[in-house]
Amino acid sequence: MYKKGGSNVKIYDISKEISKDMMVYKDREEKRPQLKVVRDFSTGSVYESIITMDLHTGTHMDAPLHMLEGGETIENQDLSRTITPCRVLDLTHVEDSIGLKHLEDKHIDQGDFLLLKTKNSLREGEKTFDYDFVYLDKEGAHYLREKKVIGLGIDALGIERAQSDHETHKILMGEGI
């Protein structure tokens, strides 16, 4: 429990567990976390290991530089904008992409931080990438930009799927979302 401004706030960790056999984007082996033991008790007095992994593994945050040439890098992002109260929108009924028609009745306010819960969450524990994951389309991104949300998360390894020129990313990141 975290106390903010005199009221109790529950904090939920929604991070995915990192493991060598976890689901990775498009099942690409180079994105899979690698754990290597560099010292153990047979060679010394300590046990140490190294993990290497793609920064787009599991639960992650995209920096603007991911899609915007000249954009900010992750260490320049204000984490207080992500460690904040949020609203979870239940969109588990959506089959393909989340668009304007799925969002306009959700009473979204300026300054909201939103998490989009989709049927992607129902695949919890699966190890194979789903090429048909539910994503946010560009019309949905335009709407959320107009509503002036401050942050957005989704229960997939990406916010968009097979969109030319990565429009959803650019619409959101261009506004600092």
Side-chain angles (χ1 to χ4, degrees):
M1 202 64 107
Y2 170 71
K3 198 150 183 105
K4 181 178 182 179
S7 62
N8 289 331
V9 176
K10 284 188 178 182
I11 296 177
Y12 297 93
D13 181 356
I14 58 170
S15 304
K16 297 280 186 191
E17 184 176 315
I18 296 172
S19 69
K20 64 183 178 180
D21 63 343
M22 68 188 296
M23 182 191 308
V24 293
Y25 192 74
K26 294 187 177 180
D27 293 327
R28 293 181 177 155
E29 243 355 88
E30 68 272 13
K31 293 190 174 287
R32 196 163 302 290
Q34 301 296 317
L35 185 65
K36 177 182 174 186
V37 176
V38 293
R39 291 189 187 146
D40 63 22
F41 296 112
S42 69
T43 59
S45 62
V46 297
Y47 188 95
E48 295 179 333
S49 52
I50 296 173
I51 187 167
T52 55
M53 62 185 225
D54 188 284
L55 293 178
H56 287 87
T57 300
T59 308
H60 67 276
M61 186 170 116
D62 287 341
L65 183 60
H66 176 52
M67 290 290 164
L68 303 175
E69 189 172 345
E72 291 287 330
T73 54
I74 201 71
E75 69 271 13
N76 294 314
Q77 298 304 293
D78 180 1
L79 289 181
S80 69
R81 292 187 62 201
T82 62
I83 304 170
T84 185
C86 67
R87 291 184 50 217
V88 177
L89 302 184
D90 185 345
L91 297 163
T92 52
H93 63 283
V94 177
E95 289 299 319
D96 186 53
S97 64
I98 300 164
L100 174 63
K101 68 181 179 181
H102 303 106
L103 298 169
E104 59 190 349
D105 68 341
K106 297 295 185 191
H107 309 289
I108 297 168
D109 295 321
Q110 180 176 336
D112 278 350
F113 191 108
L114 303 175
L115 297 178
L116 308 179
K117 180 180 180 180
T118 72
K119 71 177 188 170
N120 300 328
S121 288
L122 307 176
R123 299 191 71 227
E124 189 68 33
E126 291 192 27
K127 309 289 188 204
T128 305
F129 183 74
D130 179 6
Y131 284 83
D132 295 321
F133 67 91
V134 177
Y135 67 99
L136 180 68
D137 69 22
K138 66 181 179 180
E139 286 79 21
H142 277 293
Y143 180 73
L144 294 176
R145 181 182 68 188
E146 289 168 15
K147 297 300 274 184
K148 298 184 185 218
V149 300
I150 62 165
L152 181 67
I154 193 167
D155 55 357
L157 290 176
I159 192 75
E160 65 184 314
R161 167 171 50 96
Q163 287 178 263
S164 63
D165 201 34
H166 306 289
E167 294 170 287
T168 294
H169 273 93
K170 290 176 179 177
I171 292 165
L172 298 171
M173 290 179 164
E175 286 298 313
I177 300 170

